[in-house]
């Protein structure tokens, strides 16, 4: 682990937020899980949240997306 972060916190309303619902509609439940996986990775590797230098492929690989290339990134944007 490269930082002192050992957890991430998700608000109890996360799953009912319109952005989460929209992500789920576009990318399915896997898209929501991948977002959380990206957050966990960022907490360990980019604790300031800056993903600068990462392209769409990098982000999808980091989030462990196995759907169509570019689809998760497009849903995030």
């Amino acid at each position: 682990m490269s930082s002192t972060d050992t957890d991430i916190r998700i608000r109890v309303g996360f799953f009912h937020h319109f952005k989460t619902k929209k992500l789920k509609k576009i990318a399915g439940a896997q898209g929501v899980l991948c977002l959380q996986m990206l957050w966990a990775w960022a907490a360990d590797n980019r604790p300031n949240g800056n993903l600068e230098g990462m392209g769409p492929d990098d982000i999808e690989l980091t989030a462990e997306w196995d759907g169509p290339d570019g689809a998760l990134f497009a849903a995030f944007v």
Side-chain angles (χ1 to χ4, degrees):
M1 194 175 260
S2 61
S3 72
T4 58
D5 293 333
T6 58
D7 68 354
I8 60 172
R9 305 209 178 212
I10 299 174
R11 295 182 61 97
V12 296
F14 170 79
F15 294 101
H16 302 291
H17 193 279
F18 79 94
K19 288 182 181 179
T20 307
K21 290 179 179 184
K22 192 170 188 179
L23 176 60
K24 184 178 177 188
K25 184 175 183 176
I26 295 169
Q30 182 192 9
V32 177
L33 176 62
C34 287
L35 175 61
Q36 294 171 351
M37 292 176 75
L38 181 62
W39 287 345
W41 178 87
D44 193 30
N45 296 280
R46 305 274 181 106
N48 67 356
N50 186 343
L51 302 181
E52 186 175 345
M54 294 181 72
D57 289 343
D58 300 323
I59 290 172
E60 290 184 344
L61 286 170
T62 300
E64 300 190 27
W65 172 251
D66 62 5
D69 290 347
L72 181 66
F73 186 80
F76 286 169
V77 174

